[in-house]
Amino acid sequence: MRRTKPVRPVLVVIAHGSRDPRHAATVHALVRRVRALRPGVRVETGFLDFNIPSVQGVLESLAAEGVRDVVALPLLLTRAFHAKADIPAVLRDAPPQLRIRQADVLGPSPLLLSALERRLYEAGLTPADKSSTGVVLASAGSTDPEAIAVIADIAREWRHTGWCAVRPAFASAALPRTEDAVRELRALGCAKVAVAPYVLAPGFLPDRIARGAGEADVLAGVLGAAPEVSALVLSRFRTAASDVPSAHIA
């Protein structure tokens, strides 16, 4: 009797979307890196808003092809409204023949801390600067208390890796703002102040973070297609795909 070859689920990366063309370009760059790391895994990209293809359109196309198993991975750093409400709502409206597993959001993760440090070093800092540098962990912000608490926890954890100090900041919906956190670190006596955007792609709120970093010594780039982020995407995929019947995820 012939044995049925295990089928890999399709990975559908779900991005927020933005009117800013840099956002989609960065998402696509990240997905290209993920594909390069695991050429045997099919990876598709869908957007919740502003960009095409939409998540619904991607899922309908996959169903029409005969795909049955999908892992939907939110390209989000915190488990806030989009992860808790928007994405589950879209997935509930997916074609019924699809078996969909929703992967966890990317954050928090030690890999993201490594990506943040990579961006700071690319912006001009060195490991020797850590003990004298205060860092603003600048996120987009959220009205979700859980998401805000997670950012504060990440800042505390990151501080223990050797930085002079780490302060959370938010571009919207919560305080402090980036510029206020920069001034606080100056007043604390840090020799240098750096701003590390805890965001995946450029856009309106990341631009607000950049403006708030005007008095800082260093402004890092967005996380984007950092190697650590692509590795984390695949880690979240493997965890979710391990629950798919007959999945082959090596």
Side-chain angles (χ1 to χ4, degrees), residues 140-206:
S142 173
T143 57
D144 188 309
E146 178 187 347
I148 297 301
V150 166
I151 299 300
D153 288 344
I154 293 170
R156 282 192 291 269
E157 178 183 350
W158 202 15
R159 163 68 182 84
H160 294 314
T161 66
W163 296 100
C164 174
V166 180
R167 295 289 186 271
F170 308 94
S172 67
L175 296 174
R177 295 287 184 257
T178 302
E179 53 268 34
D180 296 324
V182 168
R183 293 175 188 131
E184 180 186 350
L185 291 171
R186 287 273 187 233
L188 194 63
C190 298
K192 291 183 179 180
V193 176
V195 173
Y198 190 63
V199 293
L200 283 167
F204 177 75
L205 293 178

Side-chain angles (χ1 to χ4, degrees), residues 42 63 69 89 121-122 130 142 163 227 249:
R42 180 175 175 183
D69 290 308
Y121 297 149
E122 289 171 349
K130 288 187 76 167
S142 173
W163 296 100
I249 57 175

